[in-house]
Each structure stands twice: as structure tokens, then as C-alpha cells.
Amino acid sequence: QDEEKPFAAGRKKPQTVSSFRKVLPQLLAVTTKNTLATNFGLSIAFPTMVIPAVADPTSEIKLTKEQLSWLGSLFFIVIPFGCLLSGPCIHRFGRRTMMLVMCLPFSAGWAMFSYAYNPGLLFSAVFVHGLVNGLLEAPILTYVAEVCEPKWRGMFASFTALASVVGVFLQFFMGNYLDWRRSAMINICFPIISFIALCFIPESPHWLVGRGRIDEAERALRWLRGWVSVESIKPELDALVTSIGKSKEAEGSPFSWTPYLNSTFIRPFGLVVASFLIGHFTGMSSLQTYAVGIFHELKSPVSPYSLTAAEGFIQLAGALVCISILPFIGRRILAISTTFGTGVCLAALAIVGSGWPAVILLLISVFLINSCSKVFPWVLIGEVFPPGVRAVASGLASCFGYSLGFLVNKTYFLSVDLLTLHGVLGLYAAISLAGSLFYFLVLPETEGRSLEEVQAHFRGELNLGRGCKSKKFGHWNVSYVAEVPA
């Protein structure tokens, strides 16, 4: 009866909508944002098509072995600089605005690739794509967590990596039938599609509340919760406004050094960087970038280009499996089992040598890597950082991740010269097995947990580590607080 009193006084009852109607706008918003992640996948896979083409003696662009290593790794050294700028930019301009603006240079970068007839223009195109993808890192990662309800957050966050893998698969597929210039020309269309789609989704309500634009935040929440009435989202909006007020008192500006010296930043940051290290040093980037050459070295019975296209499909299958089983088995079991399995397969590959057994083991390793290591760091970034520094911390963590990717790709040829390909694969196996032990000892189980509970774990107030089971929580995502304006 107490709950009915406000309605008797003239307030309308909250609008009742179906579960499908509630989840549909969240899915639309995330899918639209993920078109940019698909563009990222196209970018990261493109050098795999270009490197063997320009390494051919008949190529009109002549590159040395050293230049080829830079072509395969330049993207990873440029993107961290964009990541560092990404957090402050979305804090000032918003998530959706940044995504919209970056679509234009994205298309320009593909046009540069298409007309690159000398090394300078080719490297310039890689530089543009690296910078643009870096600037997109924070808005892509934070937007999904800010617009989704907790029960959908983990699955929808995984969609980001899936969309990236779709881009990789599309690029490998095109590379099997088209030369890299024609592929680049087709790729110009993808950022244009993203720009058009982004015009139809709302800005993050968390960022809008943080900027004091309450009316716009109300409209955004009504759209995201199923095009509902004001009464249906009023409790969530009020709780969000209150949470942001408390965050302002507790943490102040995200550009102050103080929040970054606390264990609530240091511990999750270390976990995210470690997950990137485990992924990159077990072949997450190098097995993709140098796939054509690796299959050739393994004496593949079929065309290396065909197997590279098959690898793209297997990456997609691995990401789909991750999304499908993650809500049911949780982060810990998935990370420990797939990382251990990757280590076993890579160790066997280092021993087997060549031929079909080696090819099959390599493809199984790629599947397992994409079932966890390629997805996992990005899921963690969206949920482990304190609300007051989340945007900046996301960009900083991504910066470290891509720097590790650069290090692995740039030193790949040197590593193979020193250790041989099978020696490098053996090293990846050892790191993967050590990584599974690290996850067993350190990784918290965040599946089904509210973001406030995740923060409580890193504050030492709650144990989500070993022996902790996943838990399903309520409907509001108010614990995901936007950073407060300085």
C-alpha cells in the first residue's frame, strides 16, 4: 500500500514493457557503436594482407625486412598516443561525439592506403589509422558499460571484441579474392556507415548527468530502457544523480593525481596490463599479423592465404563461443581453462614441427586465444576501474596494451632469427601456462556482479576471488558513475 500512495497523489505508474523491448535499444546502441570496432578489426588485419604483397620482389613498393617489421608494428606504437588523448577527450566532448568525429579521418586513412604508391604514404596511412583507433578506444569501451543494465553488461561488452574479430575475418576474406588496394577502397564505406548509424543513438546518460544536462540524460535513459515514460526511469535517474554527487565529493577531478595513487586504481590497472601481457606474449597479435608467413614456415599443405582466411573465421568462432558461455561459466573458469589449453597446444606445436598436425594445432590455439585472451582485457577495462577515473584509466590501460602489441610484433622477426619459429612458439606456450596460474591466483569473478561490488573487491571489502560464485543482480546500472567534470 505504501508503494501506491505516490500514484494516488497524482503520479503515474511506471510503464510496463516487455523484456525484449527493454533489451532491444541497448542492443541497437551497442551494435551501432560496434561498427567502429569492426573498422578496428579491418585496420588491424590489413597489414597481414599488405606485408606479403609488398615483400614480393615484383611489388611496385620496395621495402626492406626492417621496414616490413615496422609496417607490421607501427599501428601498435601509434595507437597508444591516441589512447592517452582518448580519455580526456571523451571527458570533455562526450562518448558519441568523439565516435562521430573520428569516422571522417577513418575513411581518409583507407583512401590513403588505396592510393599509396610509395613507402611514405603507406606508413602515413598506418599512422592515421593507429591514431584514430587510439582516440576511439575510451569511447568504445566506456559507452557499452554506461548504457547497459548490469545483467547484460558482460555479454554486450564481449560484443566489442566480437565485432573486431568480424572485421578481421572480413579483411582476410577480402584478401583471399582482392588485392589490398581494392580492399582499402571497399573499406572506405565502413566508417561512413558508422557515422550514419551513430546519428540515431543517444549520448551516454552518465556523461550527460556528469555535465549537468539532466533533461538530455532523461531522454537518453527513456530511449535506452525501451522508449518508456519518464516515470519508468525516474528512480534510476535520481539514483544516478545522487551517485555522481557522491563521486564528486570522494574523488574530485579525474585529472588529479590522487585517485591514481590508490589501490583501487593500481590493483585493477595491474590486472588489466597483465591480461594484455598474457594475450600478446602468447601470440594474440603476432599469430595474426604474420599468419601468411607462419603457415608457409609450417609447410602448410594448402595455400597460406586460404588458411589465413580460415584463421579469420576461427577467430570469429572463438569470440562467439566466448560470448555464448561467458554468462554461464564466468570470467575465472573461462580465463584459466582457455589460457591453459592454449599453452598445451602451443607446446605440442613447438614439438610437432610441420604439416597438417602443426596447422591444426595452430588453428586450435588461435581459437582458444580468441575465446579469451583477445576479448578478456576489454571486458575487464569496462568494469574494474573506479568511476571517477574510468575514462582516463581506460585510455591509459589501452595504451599499455597496444605498446605490448607493438613490442611483440616489432621483435617478431628478431625473435624468430634468435630462437627459430618453433622456439618462439615454445616461449609463447610457457607464458600461457604461467598466465593460467596467474588467473587462478589473482583474477576476481565479476560475472553478474554490480560495478559497486567489483570496486569493493579492489578496496579489500569483498572477496570475489577463488571460491566465489557468480551472482545475478538487479536492473539499474547506477553504480557506473560518469567521471565528474573538473
Side-chain angles (χ1 to χ4, degrees):
Q1 294 179 346
D2 292 339
E3 293 179 352
E4 295 178 356
K5 287 182 181 179
F7 305 126
R11 284 183 56 188
K12 297 180 180 179
K13 291 184 179 181
Q15 183 178 352
T16 302
V17 297
S18 66
S19 297
F20 174 76
R21 180 170 166 179
K22 287 192 71 174
V23 74
L24 178 60
Q26 298 174 60
L27 178 61
L28 290 174
V30 171
T31 302
T32 298
K33 177 269 305 181
N34 281 344
T35 59
L36 289 169
T38 301
N39 282 288
F40 171 81
L42 292 166
S43 296
I44 203 172
F46 196 69
T48 305
M49 301 292 99
V50 178
I51 288 173
V54 298
D56 192 302
T58 61
S59 172
E60 55 192 333
I61 300 179
K62 306 297 182 183
L63 296 180
T64 65
K65 191 174 183 179
E66 176 68 15
Q67 288 174 318
L68 288 174
S69 72
W70 274 106
L71 184 60
S73 56
L74 180 62
F75 180 90
F76 291 98
I77 196 58
V78 175
I79 198 171
F81 294 98
C83 291
L84 289 175
L85 296 172
S86 182
C89 284
I90 67 167
H91 175 78
R92 176 65 181 84
F93 301 109
R95 285 72 166 129
R96 176 175 167 269
T97 301
M98 276 295 295
M99 290 189 283
L100 276 167
V101 170
M102 288 298 105
C103 290
L104 302 179
F106 222 140
S107 287
W110 287 122
M112 292 171 67
F113 271 122
S114 182
Y115 292 99
Y117 288 95
N118 59 72
L121 195 55
L122 190 61
F123 284 108
S124 296
V126 175
F127 181 89
V128 169
H129 270 192
L131 188 62
V132 169
N133 277 290
L135 287 167
L136 283 170
E137 201 68 31
I140 286 176
L141 294 174
T142 56
Y143 186 80
V144 60
E146 292 181 341
V147 302
C148 295
E149 296 173 284
K151 60 182 177 181
W152 303 112
R153 190 185 69 239
M155 181 185 297
F156 285 170
S158 303
F159 282 4
T160 302
L162 173 63
S164 174
V165 173
V166 168
V168 171
F169 170 69
L170 288 174
Q171 192 65 77
F172 286 173
F173 181 80
M174 285 190 288
N176 207 36
Y177 298 99
L178 302 172
D179 66 71
W180 58 274
R181 294 188 190 280
R182 288 189 177 91
S183 295
M185 186 64 72
I186 293 173
N187 290 344
I188 293 174
C189 301
F190 287 97
I192 296 173
I193 294 171
S194 297
F195 183 90
I196 295 171
L198 285 164
C199 293
F200 295 95
I201 64 172
E203 178 59 85
S204 162
H206 297 261
W207 182 80
L208 290 170
V209 170
R211 308 301 293 186
R213 293 153 65 172
I214 308 301
D215 290 342
E216 294 177 57
E218 180 185 281
R219 290 194 293 271
L221 271 178
R222 290 176 62 189
W223 193 97
L224 291 164
R225 297 300 177 256
W227 305 283
V228 295
S229 63
V230 174
E231 289 74 21
S232 298
I233 55 89
K234 193 71 165 67
E236 181 177 1
L237 180 62
D238 290 344
L240 181 60
V241 172
T242 301
S243 296
I244 288 180
K246 291 180 179 179
S247 177
K248 183 175 181 179
E249 295 175 3
E251 303 198 29
S253 169
F255 304 114
S256 166
W257 280 107
T258 304
Y260 302 96
L261 301 178
N262 296 331
S263 63
T264 51
F265 167 77
I266 295 173
R267 288 181 61 194
F269 184 79
L271 176 63
V272 172
V273 171
S275 69
F276 274 122
L277 188 148
I278 293 168
H280 283 299
F281 282 88
T282 57
M284 181 173 77
S285 54
S286 56
L287 294 182
Q288 174 181 290
T289 303
Y290 302 107
V292 175
I294 291 173
F295 283 121
H296 179 77
E297 184 73 18
L298 294 177
K299 296 180 173 59
S300 164
V302 297
S303 166
Y305 283 95
S306 297
L307 282 175
T308 300
E311 180 182 321
F313 177 78
I314 289 171
Q315 289 185 33
L316 177 59
L320 285 171
V321 168
C322 173
I323 291 171
S324 300
I325 66 176
L326 186 61
F328 301 100
I329 68 174
R331 274 57 157 174
R332 279 181 57 83
I333 294 177
L334 180 66
I336 294 167
S337 60
T338 56
T339 308
F340 181 81
T342 301
V344 171
C345 288
L346 289 173
L349 174 57
I351 296 171
V352 167
S354 61
W356 270 119
V359 169
I360 292 172
L361 284 168
L362 179 60
L363 292 178
I364 293 174
S365 300
V366 169
F367 175 82
L368 292 173
I369 288 171
N370 283 270
S371 296
C372 177
S373 294
K374 203 156 194 174
V375 178
F376 198 56
W378 311 111
V379 175
L380 286 177
I381 283 177
E383 61 187 14
V384 298
F385 290 118
V389 299
R390 190 170 281 121
V392 176
S394 297
L396 187 61
S398 300
C399 171
F400 272 80
Y402 287 116
S403 297
L404 291 171
F406 165 78
L407 179 64
V408 171
N409 274 13
K410 184 65 180 70
T411 60
Y412 173 77
F413 288 126
L414 177 62
S415 300
V416 170
D417 289 342
L418 292 175
L419 303 175
T420 74
L421 175 61
H422 293 89
V424 171
L425 295 173
L427 177 62
Y428 288 172
I431 295 173
S432 189
L433 294 172
S436 65
L437 178 61
F438 171 82
Y439 285 141
F440 176 77
L441 296 174
V442 175
L443 183 65
E445 180 52 79
T446 59
E447 178 61 35
R449 296 286 178 172
S450 71
L451 292 169
E452 177 57 33
E453 287 181 303
V454 176
Q455 300 308 310
H457 168 82
F458 289 110
R459 290 195 300 265
E461 300 169 2
L462 182 66
N463 177 31
L464 299 181
R466 283 177 287 170
C468 177
K469 296 182 179 179
S470 64
K471 180 180 178 182
K472 297 299 178 184
F473 270 78
H475 302 289
W476 297 346
N477 199 19
V478 296
S479 60
Y480 196 106
V481 182
E483 70 283 352
V484 181

